[in-house]
Amino acid sequence: MLLTNKKSRISADKIFKITATVAGVYVLAIIVLIVFQLYSESHLVWEHEGLGFITGSEWNAVEGREAFGAAPYIAGTLATAGLAMAMGVPISIGIAMFISQAPKFIANPLAIVIDLLAAVPSIIYGFWGLLVFRDFLLYNIEYPLYDTFGQTIWLFSSAPFGLDIFSASIILAIMIIPTISAVSREIMIAVPHMQKEAAYMLGATKWEMFRLAIFPYAKTGLIGAAILGLGRAVGETMAVTMLIGNATGPNAFPQTLFQPGQTMSSIIANEFIEASPASLHLPALIGIGFTLLLVAIAINIVAHLLVSRMLKVKEGVINT
Amino acid sequence: MMSSIQKRAEYRSLFRHNVRGRLIIDKIAMGIVLACVVIAIIPLGSILVEVFKNGLAAISIEFLTQVPGAIGTGQGGIGPAIQGTLIIIGMSSLIGIPIGVMSGIFLSEFGNNKLGRTVRFFNDVFMEFPSIVLGIFAFLTIVLLLGHFSLWAGAFALSLIMFPIVARTTEESLKLVPLTYREAGLALGLRQWVVTFRIVLSAAKNGMITGILLAVARISGETAPLIMTVLGSSQFFAGFDSPMDALPLRIWRLSLLPYDSAQLQGWGAACVLIMIILAINIGVRYYFATKSSSRGKLFYRIMGGKKQ
């Protein structure tokens, strides 16, 4: 009696452990499956275009004249994400500085409000951007810039329309602020108190304390936070699709700020449903998805390594 | 003696000059930091004001329950979209939550080894995958296989967004349950799975519910994976194997129409969607803001660095 009881105990726990392990490994299996599926479904276009798929700029789905080059969309993704980083990272770090220093009764609600920015879905950013923000941007920022610098600086040299790389980048910048500022905040809080106290004891002002104690110590983590934001900006779809103006072919190459463009995710969102599975159009879009996935994985792995290394330092400090 | 007094005065003036400059720089830095905070809050404020101002005007009983009318007439409503969103949330939860919870149990109870660390790392990376790629994946595995767009495909795509969030929040909450609870259970002769499910999970309930609700809030606004899986429709539920509408999809379609009436309906749909999401988010946050500090810490650990 006792023996059988013991036996069944072991087996039930084994089943439990195996189930849990399977569920845990599920994520690895899914990642492998996604990479494999996306590659195998897009290999037709890789065969057809070769490396030209990455470097070419022609985009034509008409049968017999098929040409698929994703370079303008890759460039568009890099341009919008880069601009978004240029605007979003300083603002996010400023917010993190404020939240890490402010008294709790201000910092906590403010952190929640910033987190709510991340809760607003992409589609609502897009809708708001299309109907409200676009007008504001067009008349208050884009036209003045165009009127003053349009002749002299090539960045502002095309007539603004409101649906362009510039407006998509600003929306992206708003959308990555919560990610970057939340991680930066954690990292700034993780800097050991002794560092900050040492800076204050030397007579540093608050700003100097940040410059002397926090920034050098947290540099890696802050870079990781920014890269995490970049990963998010690269994959963001709906808001960008609604605001970027959706050019295709060589025209989609980002040349000026006020010119319509296209990103990897936006061209998938725009054309996926119309693409015929029988032609090369669908494999081409899947190929772009595959490229996007590889870029996103690479960015996120780097970001997670940087951030987790920084937060591990924190644990060590607490333990000693 | 004289020289030292003179020197001291000189030092003093140098010091004052130096300090004044540094204090001014400090003030400027503080001003810039404050400006950053204000700049970030303005868009959120504007979105909320516009969505509620324009959206509430569009909302009526008819709007919430009717099928969409003919394009451009401004007739009809978003009934199927609301129904579809609720069904998709339910279905993805059915797939995503069990996997997520089990995966979280694996990470916290059996995850202290190489496999566990690998899973944890890729779980975090997977959380940041572009959702449109998950949509393509669901399209390839389900839509192409079955030959038609379906609710299943959409729910599968969204469950992929959901389970890593649930897994990590489950893990974090299970880790907060003291080891002595587990030891007490095992000492009483209970099996490990009984200890985990009956004692540890019930002690970690609050944190897990937070994670699940935040995951639900996150998927209810997802659009990109739905474009290529459930496609959209203007009819009420017609079976799990057929296309269906969802609120984000409806907003997307309405935004493509050039009519004022479509815009108004879009604001209405956006208002309903954002009310659902904000209710979950603010509810969860309020709940944890009023909880004890250890729960609050858990909350910040979960939120810190994680996109929700």
Side-chain angles (χ1 to χ4, degrees):
Chain A
M1 183 61 205
L2 257 176
L3 247 173
T4 55
N5 190 8
K6 200 179 173 196
K7 232 181 198 171
S8 74
R9 172 181 309 179
I10 289 167
S11 68
D13 274 351
K14 262 208 174 125
I15 293 172
F16 168 61
K17 189 175 175 180
I18 289 169
T19 322
T21 311
V22 167
V25 174
Y26 179 72
V27 68
L28 302 179
I30 287 281
I31 291 178
V32 171
L33 214 69
I34 289 178
V35 171
F36 172 76
Q37 271 269 25
L38 261 57
Y39 176 73
S40 71
E41 293 291 331
S42 62
H43 79 273
L44 276 178
V45 79
W46 297 104
E47 272 168 22
H48 183 261
E49 297 281 345
L51 259 186
F53 185 61
I54 301 286
T55 55
S57 60
E58 286 300 322
W59 189 262
N60 196 341
V62 178
E63 248 191 280
R65 277 183 289 164
E66 285 148 326
F68 296 102
Y73 320 125
I74 297 173
T77 301
L78 295 181
T80 48
L83 274 171
M85 294 273 285
M87 292 181 272
V89 170
I91 295 180
S92 312
I93 289 185
I95 294 170
M97 284 166 70
F98 183 83
I99 292 182
S100 70
Q101 289 299 308
K104 269 222 160 84
F105 71 97
I106 301 176
N108 287 353
L110 185 65
I112 290 179
V113 169
I114 300 289
D115 281 343
L116 280 184
L117 265 179
V120 176
S122 179
I123 184 84
I124 289 185
Y125 276 110
F127 200 73
W128 171 79
L130 203 59
L131 297 181
V132 179
F133 187 60
R134 178 190 165 195
D135 282 348
F136 170 80
L137 198 68
L138 191 56
Y139 296 112
N140 294 301
I141 297 177
E142 291 195 352
Y143 271 123
L145 279 176
Y146 174 68
D147 290 341
T148 6
F149 301 111
Q151 307 295 324
T152 47
I153 303 177
W154 60 271
L155 271 179
F156 306 118
S157 61
S158 50
F161 180 58
L163 299 180
D164 46 40
I165 291 166
F166 187 57
S167 47
S169 309
I170 293 184
I171 287 277
L172 268 184
I174 300 171
M175 296 179 75
I176 61 174
I177 283 175
T179 315
I180 304 179
S181 70
V183 181
S184 314
R185 174 186 72 205
E186 288 294 311
I187 281 161
M188 285 179 186
I189 293 171
V191 173
H193 274 289
M194 302 231 244
Q195 298 261 337
K196 305 176 198 169
E197 280 160 13
Y200 279 133
M201 276 168 74
L202 291 174
T205 59
K206 218 157 218 176
W207 162 246
E208 283 164 343
M209 189 275 288
F210 270 103
R211 208 169 45 114
L212 294 171
I214 293 189
F215 287 148
Y217 195 90
K219 200 167 57 191
T220 334
L222 293 179
I223 293 172
I227 298 176
L228 209 58
L230 176 67
R232 192 156 186 215
V234 163
E236 200 51 66
T237 312
M238 298 318 296
V240 175
T241 308
M242 290 161 92
L243 282 170
I244 199 160
N246 303 321
T248 52
N251 288 334
F253 252 119
Q255 280 144 3
T256 70
L257 284 181
F258 301 151
Q259 173 212 27
Q262 186 87 268
T263 67
M264 290 192 262
S265 50
S266 72
I267 193 157
I268 300 174
N270 276 319
E271 300 195 353
F272 200 86
I273 287 308
E274 279 96 54
S276 147
S279 72
L280 270 181
H281 196 186
L282 191 66
L285 291 174
I286 296 173
I288 292 180
F290 183 62
T291 318
L292 172 65
L293 177 71
L294 293 185
V295 172
I297 291 181
I299 290 174
N300 280 309
I301 286 181
V302 171
H304 280 285
L305 286 178
L306 291 179
V307 170
S308 68
R309 202 170 78 186
M310 178 71 204
L311 291 179
K312 221 175 266 166
V313 171
K314 164 198 175 188
E315 278 168 19
V317 166
I318 289 170
N319 290 340
T320 46
Chain B
M1 229 31 217
M2 280 303 282
S3 74
S4 109
I5 289 173
Q6 270 172 353
K7 235 176 203 158
R8 249 184 270 165
E10 193 189 326
Y11 285 148
R12 204 174 294 138
S13 85
L14 270 176
F15 176 74
R16 242 182 242 137
H17 182 73
N18 178 19
V19 161
R20 200 180 303 133
R22 287 168 54 207
L23 286 179
I24 289 172
I25 289 177
D26 189 49
K27 286 266 157 23
I28 293 173
M30 297 263 257
I32 293 174
V33 162
L34 261 179
C36 288
V37 173
V38 174
I39 288 174
I41 292 178
I42 288 172
L44 181 68
S46 168
I47 288 175
L48 293 181
V49 166
E50 294 288 339
V51 165
F52 282 106
K53 190 182 76 188
N54 299 316
L56 288 176
I59 290 178
S60 64
I61 297 290
E62 191 210 352
F63 179 70
L64 293 177
T65 54
Q66 298 288 306
V67 297
I71 288 171
T73 57
Q75 299 291 311
I78 54 168
I82 295 176
Q83 190 194 28
T85 288
L86 296 179
I87 293 175
I88 292 172
I89 289 175
M91 287 170 71
S92 349
S93 305
L94 277 183
I95 310 172
I97 292 174
I99 297 174
V101 169
M102 280 312 276
S103 173
I105 290 176
F106 166 74
L107 288 175
S108 98
E109 310 295 309
F110 310 110
N112 199 13
N113 50 28
K114 200 162 185 197
L115 178 66
R117 279 190 291 276
T118 313
V119 167
R120 191 175 298 116
F121 182 78
F122 280 100
N123 201 77
D124 284 358
V125 171
F126 190 70
M127 231 188 272
E128 311 279 337
F129 269 26
S131 60
I132 194 157
V133 170
L134 303 180
I136 298 178
F137 176 61
F139 174 85
L140 294 176
T141 44
I142 300 191
V143 175
L144 276 192
L145 209 67
L146 297 181
H148 41 72
F149 296 96
S150 70
L151 271 170
W152 284 119
F156 175 64
L158 293 190
S159 81
L160 292 180
I161 298 171
M162 195 169 191
F163 86 83
I165 306 176
V166 177
R168 289 293 270 137
T169 45
T170 302
E171 187 203 355
E172 293 290 337
S173 0
L174 291 187
K175 274 188 175 160
L176 285 191
V177 178
L179 204 61
T180 45
Y181 282 34
R182 296 178 176 88
E183 283 169 354
L186 291 172
L188 287 173
L190 295 176
R191 291 164 192 181
Q192 197 186 1
W193 68 273
V194 180
V195 173
T196 307
F197 280 113
R198 297 291 296 273
I199 300 176
V200 182
L201 278 194
S202 70
K205 203 172 52 197
N206 286 331
M208 289 170 58
I209 292 174
T210 312
I212 290 170
L213 285 176
L214 289 178
V216 165
R218 169 111 158 70
I219 62 165
S220 46
E222 276 298 336
T223 321
L226 296 184
I227 293 176
M228 49 212 39
T229 50
V230 303
L231 189 67
S233 137
S234 54
Q235 297 306 312
F236 278 104
F237 178 68
F240 292 112
D241 271 347
S242 36
M244 185 75 214
D245 208 4
L247 277 171
L249 275 181
R250 178 57 47 190
I251 299 172
W252 161 244
R253 301 258 180 266
L254 288 168
S255 77
L256 298 175
L257 299 175
Y259 310 103
D260 282 348
S261 58
Q263 280 184 14
L264 189 66
Q265 289 199 324
W267 284 119
C271 185
V272 174
L273 180 62
I274 216 166
M275 276 200 275
I276 296 174
I277 291 171
L278 285 188
I280 296 173
N281 267 285
I282 294 178
V284 166
R285 287 175 158 86
Y286 178 77
Y287 179 72
F288 277 92
T290 55
K291 276 271 164 186
S292 67
S293 60
S294 72
R295 292 247 182 272
K297 255 183 212 148
L298 163 72
F299 171 69
Y300 280 111
R301 264 169 74 189
I302 292 169
M303 303 312 300
K306 297 292 166 313
K307 146 175 100 167
Q308 1 81 58

